[in-house]
Amino acid sequence: MRRLLPLLTLLTLLTWVGGAQAKLRWGADAEGGAPYVFHDPDDPKKVIGFEVDLARELGRVLGEPVEFVQYEYASLLVGLDRGDLDLAMNGLEVTPDRAGKARLSHPYYTYRLQLVARADDPACTSLAMCAGPIATLGDTAAERLLDARALAKKVYEGQVEPYRDLGLRRVGAVLLDLPIAEYYARRDPLLRFVDDPSLPKGHYAIAMRKADEALAQRIDRAIDQLASEGALRKVLERWGLWNADQETKLEVGKETDTRWTFRRWFPLLLSGALTTVLLSVASMALAVLLALPLAAARTFGPRPLRALATAYVELFRGVPVLLVLFFLYYGLPTLGVRLSAWAAAVIGFGLNYAAYEAEIYRAALGAVPTGQWEAAASLGMSRALTFRRIVLPQAVRVALPPMTSDFVALFKDTSLVSVIAVVELTKQYQILAKSSLRYLEIGLATAALYLAISLPLGLLSRRLEARWSRGHA
Amino acid sequence: MIALRAVKKTFAERTVLAGVSLAVEPGEIVTITGPSGAGKSTLLRCINGLAGFDEGEIVVGPHTIRPSADPLRAAAAARTLLGMVFQDFQLFPHLTARANVAEAPIHVRGVERRAALARADELLASVGLAGHGDAYPRTLSGGQKQRVAIARALAMEPEALLCDEVTSALDDEAQSEVLDVLARLAADGMTLVLVTHQRSVVERLAAREVVLRDGALGAR
């Protein structure tokens, strides 16, 4: 009996582990994901949505619970490969790219792209007639359609912001899947639906690992059963998503196959790099401009001015720049100030980095010995003249190396601006990698581009440091 | 030329100068010696406003300095007659020797740039540094740096030179280079007030020596 005990424990453990695996882990992104999967506004701990209902129905038919796992939308297929998920169901459109990477189930929904314009903009009667950039989400059929028709686009990460920016006249129209438009735009009196028959339709399907063919076939059968039972229709009707499209069978994979060759993605990556460089340079220029009076106020100013400058520095060093960007871009319009994404980005980074630069300048001014002030004073030089001719040139030499490394840091930090829909290098990488699923090669190219700019800067910084440290012997 | 009358200064409840009076005639060479911490440098710096004092007055030529919260301003006029040389040189490291010397004439007096640079070369030659005009301070020896500092002070054509331990940071050879220059200036009639703790300075310049002890002056 005593010998049997470990064995029994092991068996219990095995069945327990087996039991845990029997649950199907379904990945989706509930962050701003209505009406697919989203947090219930009345009970934020609960996720609701038509795909939640569908998952429950699937679990019922399969006889296995389907468990929701919060997963970033862009990474769903990666999550399958990593083994974090068994199923990915989150409005994933059937595309040749996806079909090549994952096993896609039978479709469970037929979507169409819905164009939404402002109610007071009668000129926008079809996609081609809308003025200004068209807002959409990254890595969607809508984005690819805009690319295919060579229309100016603005790519967002969330579903709320495109319609919001449409109301604020930052974009000319929004092109997204009908369920999103139904949920976010239908009841907005400022917006109207535009009927454009040229817009294509497509399918949503569940993605699984190609190796999980057995599971895939069970899922296919379950979807077919839900469709024939009428349970699928009930779910869609509950969410106001049932329409005539659902009754007609479309051909799968009708979307044009776009091959992601190097010649196609690299120029896009380069344009992202250019945005990054321009953004960094403009932000740094603003930061330097603001930092000089700040440092002067902190070093030479009267007490109240010094306190103000100190408060500024502490505020912007203590608040994440991401928050500043959100505030400037999404918060300020409430107060009637509408900044473009570019202006918000440059101002946000400029304000933030000014705090760091001011501290560098303050330290650099402090590094010039008092004896220099005294020597200049003994020669009859005024304080202002001494500052300009004697102290400043020395302080600049102390400040330049750390400024250069700050610039490199800023250069990398600019990747944060994707949250306000500026497409720079990192964001361009995400978009391209997601669309082509070539995370590795495009990732390496992106890193190479970053290094191609930051390495020479770092080298320059060390050179300056070495050269000028000799000047202070 | 320079007269201190009952100059008093306390700092952090400590008496630094307890009513110091001293008269320096034009062309005279006076050394102020005394134990370290006796306030020798402070006394010297009161004369050109780098330090303030609480009571008494200091007369430099026609200008009178009285106690002020802004000693630099109070001594501004007096400073035009005074040059100063420091123990640690305080040359401007980002400027060449020539530019160090020409800086104040150009930017304070408005002397035309080319004339000021030519005059700087003459002054450098007069302290034995002909041909060193293009050198940056970091490339010069201690003795050379101090001679550039003297040339820089002379460029503003002072009537008296205040020297604060100007040979203390130098080796013997450099000390005699600097003392030679000062002796020549003295021979040409320059008034010199030197703070030093080195006997060699007093002897080499055949100076009148006053001793500052516990904030008061006395003869040796």
Side-chain angles (χ1 to χ4, degrees):
Chain A
M1 187 62 208
R2 198 172 282 176
R3 280 201 193 155
L4 276 178
L5 201 63
L7 195 66
L8 275 173
T9 318
L10 189 70
L11 276 174
T12 323
L13 212 68
L14 277 176
T15 41
W16 180 74
V17 169
Q21 275 179 338
K23 268 187 208 165
L24 287 171
R25 291 162 304 162
W26 153 50
D29 195 343
E31 205 185 307
Y36 302 76
V37 182
F38 61 108
H39 294 284
D40 187 348
D42 297 327
D43 179 8
K45 273 176 289 187
K46 216 170 100 193
V47 288
I48 56 172
F50 82 90
E51 286 176 341
V52 176
D53 293 353
L54 188 55
R56 196 175 303 119
E57 292 296 318
L58 280 173
R60 181 177 60 77
V61 173
L62 292 169
E64 261 176 69
V66 177
E67 190 186 56
F68 168 72
V69 177
Q70 166 63 34
Y71 219 83
E72 199 199 346
Y73 174 79
S75 310
L76 283 170
L77 293 196
V78 178
L80 285 175
D81 278 346
R82 287 171 43 90
D84 294 346
L85 311 169
D86 300 312
L87 311 171
M89 171 170 66
N90 202 190
L92 291 172
E93 298 125 333
V94 175
T95 67
D97 273 332
R98 281 207 185 101
K101 276 276 167 175
R103 167 67 159 82
L104 298 179
S105 71
H106 290 173
Y108 60 86
Y109 179 77
T110 303
Y111 69 88
R112 64 167 72 200
L113 295 180
Q114 181 61 53
L115 185 65
V116 176
R118 272 188 304 278
D120 63 358
D121 177 14
C124 182
T125 54
S126 70
L127 189 54
M129 300 297 290
C130 296
I134 310 292
T136 191
L137 290 177
D139 193 27
T140 55
E143 191 204 3
R144 284 188 291 276
L145 180 76
L146 292 173
D147 285 345
R149 296 196 185 173
L151 291 167
K153 65 178 179 183
K154 199 161 176 206
V155 179
Y156 290 78
E157 292 194 330
Q159 317 188 347
V160 189
E161 291 84 1
Y163 294 107
R164 207 191 135 99
D165 275 6
L166 177 59
L168 292 170
R169 297 169 192 276
R170 279 170 170 158
V171 294
V174 177
L175 184 66
L176 280 172
D177 298 7
L178 179 63
I180 303 174
E182 283 288 353
Y183 190 84
Y184 288 101
R186 182 63 95 180
R187 273 161 298 171
D188 190 336
L190 292 176
L191 307 179
R192 72 186 166 87
F193 279 38
V194 179
D195 188 27
D196 183 341
S198 77
L199 296 175
K201 299 171 186 177
H203 291 309
Y204 292 157
I206 299 172
M208 287 154 286
R209 279 181 290 276
K210 288 206 159 175
D212 281 351
E213 185 55 33
L215 171 66
Q217 287 184 8
R218 287 170 63 211
I219 294 282
D220 281 345
R221 281 196 299 272
I223 291 172
D224 293 348
Q225 191 186 329
L226 290 176
S228 60
E229 277 178 8
L232 181 59
R233 177 172 181 159
K234 266 189 202 148
V235 167
L236 293 176
E237 276 174 344
R238 196 179 308 145
W239 290 91
L241 294 173
W242 180 262
N243 55 26
D245 292 341
Q246 308 308 322
E247 288 174 290
T248 56
K249 278 265 175 204
L250 290 174
E251 269 179 57
V252 179
K254 217 177 160 190
E255 206 178 324
T256 48
D257 186 1
T258 48
R259 291 256 168 258
W260 283 97
T261 55
F262 178 84
R263 284 178 56 183
R264 212 172 138 223
W265 58 257
F266 192 70
L268 288 169
L269 214 52
L270 267 184
S271 79
L274 182 68
T275 304
T276 291
V277 169
L278 291 177
L279 194 60
S280 310
V281 170
S283 304
M284 195 66 183
L286 179 64
V288 168
L289 227 63
L290 290 173
L292 281 171
L294 275 173
R298 284 200 83 180
T299 313
F300 310 114
R303 194 174 293 242
L305 201 62
R306 219 183 314 161
L308 268 177
T310 306
Y312 178 95
V313 168
E314 294 305 332
L315 173 70
F316 279 97
R317 285 202 306 183
V319 173
V321 68
L322 193 63
L323 188 70
V324 177
L325 292 176
F326 266 120
F327 176 81
L328 288 174
Y329 192 65
Y330 295 115
L332 279 189
T334 318
L335 305 175
V337 182
R338 273 183 222 154
L339 297 171
S340 73
W342 258 89
V346 170
I347 293 174
F349 281 112
L351 289 176
N352 187 255
Y353 269 76
Y356 292 100
E357 296 319 294
E359 283 303 277
I360 290 178
Y361 300 159
R362 193 167 73 101
L365 290 174
V368 178
T370 12
Q372 292 282 302
W373 288 95
E374 293 180 350
S378 76
L379 290 166
M381 297 175 71
S382 68
R383 279 180 73 83
L385 183 63
T386 306
F387 180 74
R388 185 164 61 79
R389 294 280 316 166
I390 306 301
V391 175
L392 200 58
Q394 295 183 55
V396 165
R397 289 161 197 226
V398 179
L400 257 178
M403 273 177 75
T404 322
S405 41
D406 259 16
F407 184 73
V408 174
L410 167 65
F411 175 68
K412 292 180 290 181
D413 272 2
T414 49
S415 60
L416 290 172
V417 296
S418 62
V419 301
I420 56 172
V422 176
V423 179
E424 43 62 69
L425 187 48
T426 296
K427 181 66 184 170
Q428 188 64 262
Y429 160 68
Q430 287 176 355
I431 294 171
L432 291 172
K434 272 184 256 161
S435 314
S436 67
L437 298 166
R438 298 184 179 194
Y439 283 87
L440 186 68
E441 51 196 288
I442 302 183
L444 289 173
T446 307
L449 282 175
Y450 269 112
L451 287 175
I453 304 163
S454 61
L455 277 184
L457 276 172
L459 198 69
L460 179 74
S461 161
R462 281 193 295 280
R463 281 266 176 87
L464 290 179
E465 207 160 5
R467 200 167 111 202
W468 280 335
S469 62
R470 272 182 275 141
H472 285 271
Chain B
M1 168 76 223
I2 298 171
L4 283 73
R5 291 177 194 142
V7 172
K8 277 189 193 172
K9 179 184 176 69
T10 51
F11 185 75
E13 292 174 28
R14 198 174 70 88
T15 302
V16 185
L17 300 174
V20 173
S21 294
L22 173 71
V24 180
E25 298 305 317
E28 196 180 7
I29 302 154
V30 175
T31 57
I32 303 170
T33 57
S36 55
K40 303 187 296 286
S41 286
T42 305
L43 179 62
L44 195 70
R45 293 156 68 90
C46 283
I47 301 173
N48 73 348
L50 290 186
F53 53 96
D54 305 320
E55 285 175 46
E57 61 177 32
I58 298 175
V59 177
V60 179
H63 310 293
T64 303
I65 311 166
R66 294 201 170 79
S68 164
D70 187 354
L72 214 51
R73 176 169 298 178
R79 225 170 21 249
T80 59
L81 303 178
L82 302 167
M84 185 154 184
V85 186
F86 301 84
Q87 177 175 357
D88 51 359
F89 328 123
Q90 293 299 346
L91 294 180
F92 306 133
H94 58 298
L95 301 177
T96 62
R98 182 186 298 111
N100 260 278
V101 176
E103 177 71 15
I106 294 172
H107 294 283
V108 178
R109 285 197 164 170
V111 176
E112 194 262 327
R113 185 177 173 77
R114 211 160 352 138
L117 292 173
R119 173 74 185 136
D121 279 332
E122 282 173 30
L123 285 166
L124 286 172
S126 77
V127 296
L129 289 174
H132 285 77
D134 290 324
Y136 279 90
R138 64 168 184 271
T139 64
L140 298 173
S141 72
Q144 290 172 325
K145 282 182 198 167
Q146 197 58 296
R147 283 181 285 152
V148 174
I150 293 170
R152 181 175 69 174
L154 294 177
M156 292 298 277
E157 297 173 4
E159 292 178 17
L161 213 52
L162 308 178
C163 300
D164 190 0
E165 298 278 12
V166 290
T167 52
S168 302
L170 303 176
D171 59 38
D172 289 348
E173 198 182 316
Q175 282 187 28
S176 64
E177 288 170 12
V178 170
L179 287 174
D180 284 348
V181 169
L182 291 176
R184 195 149 10 91
L185 285 174
D188 291 346
M190 174 70 76
T191 308
L192 295 178
V193 182
L194 304 105
V195 161
T196 184
H197 66 274
Q198 293 171 311
R199 297 248 28 98
S200 55
V201 174
V202 185
E203 284 156 14
R204 174 73 179 80
L205 295 175
R208 170 155 76 98
E209 183 182 12
V210 293
V211 182
L212 187 68
R213 191 174 279 118
D214 299 329
L217 281 184
R220 212 178 119 70

